[in-house]
Amino acid sequence: MRRRVFAAVLLAAVGIGTFLCAVPQRYFNFDSGKQLKVHSVLYREPGGQEETLTEKVDLGGLESTLFLMETNRYKTSFSPFAVDSVRYEIDGTYGEDAFHILIGDSNVNFLYESAQQGGYGIRSSAVWMDILTRLRLGS
């Protein structure tokens, strides 16, 4: 009897863990009624030189595209990291909450509200790097 209970608990824990690790979430949700507003977009070249893209990109288009972003369901700690590993930084608000997005090298792709609380890993980060590069280059 104890083995069956233990096996059932273990199976449930494995199922929940698999769900949390494998099934992405959308941080931004059309149905939430919250307004998504991008305030700034920054590009950092590999050498460290920064370029503000806020006035150069279609912020409305970027805001609409961000609703497609999928993240992990659980927060992870992501600092410290080398600033050179971040190519794009996006800052904005979603409803009443501020958000920040870092897109860069494979180990630094996060959406977070506060760095002290950790952040959600961004799924398909190479696709987001391509989207932002195309916005930056105007293609």
Side-chain angles (χ1 to χ4, degrees):
M1 180 68 177
R2 285 185 177 183
R3 286 184 179 175
R4 287 186 182 175
V5 171
F6 177 74
V9 169
L10 182 61
L11 184 61
V14 168
I16 291 170
T18 301
F19 177 80
L20 290 175
C21 292
V23 179
Q25 72 170 346
R26 290 215 169 128
Y27 180 84
F28 305 113
N29 185 344
F30 278 118
D31 299 330
S32 70
K34 296 180 180 179
Q35 182 181 10
L36 172 65
K37 183 76 176 153
V38 172
H39 299 291
S40 68
V41 181
L42 178 77
Y43 170 70
R44 184 174 296 109
E45 293 182 12
Q49 185 176 355
E50 295 180 354
E51 177 185 1
T52 301
L53 302 177
T54 309
E55 303 296 324
K56 298 178 182 179
V57 300
D58 174 13
L59 294 180
L62 178 58
E63 291 165 357
S64 296
T65 305
L66 287 176
F67 279 100
L68 301 174
M69 182 177 279
E70 292 183 336
T71 65
N72 296 335
R73 291 189 172 274
Y74 56 91
K75 289 184 179 180
T76 58
S77 176
F78 60 89
S79 59
F81 59 87
V83 175
D84 287 347
S85 61
V86 176
R87 294 290 163 257
Y88 294 95
E89 293 183 33
I90 301 171
D91 295 319
T93 54
Y94 182 54
E96 300 291 320
D97 301 319
F99 71 86
H100 313 281
I101 297 174
L102 303 176
I103 302 286
D105 294 347
S106 62
N107 61 340
V108 182
N109 294 291
F110 290 96
L111 185 151
Y112 65 97
E113 296 167 0
S114 168
Q116 291 80 15
Q117 296 175 357
Y120 299 100
I122 296 172
R123 300 281 182 109
S124 303
S125 57
V127 172
W128 286 99
M129 177 75 82
D130 186 52
I131 288 169
L132 293 170
T133 299
R134 289 175 187 271
L135 282 174
R136 178 175 62 85
L137 298 177
S139 54

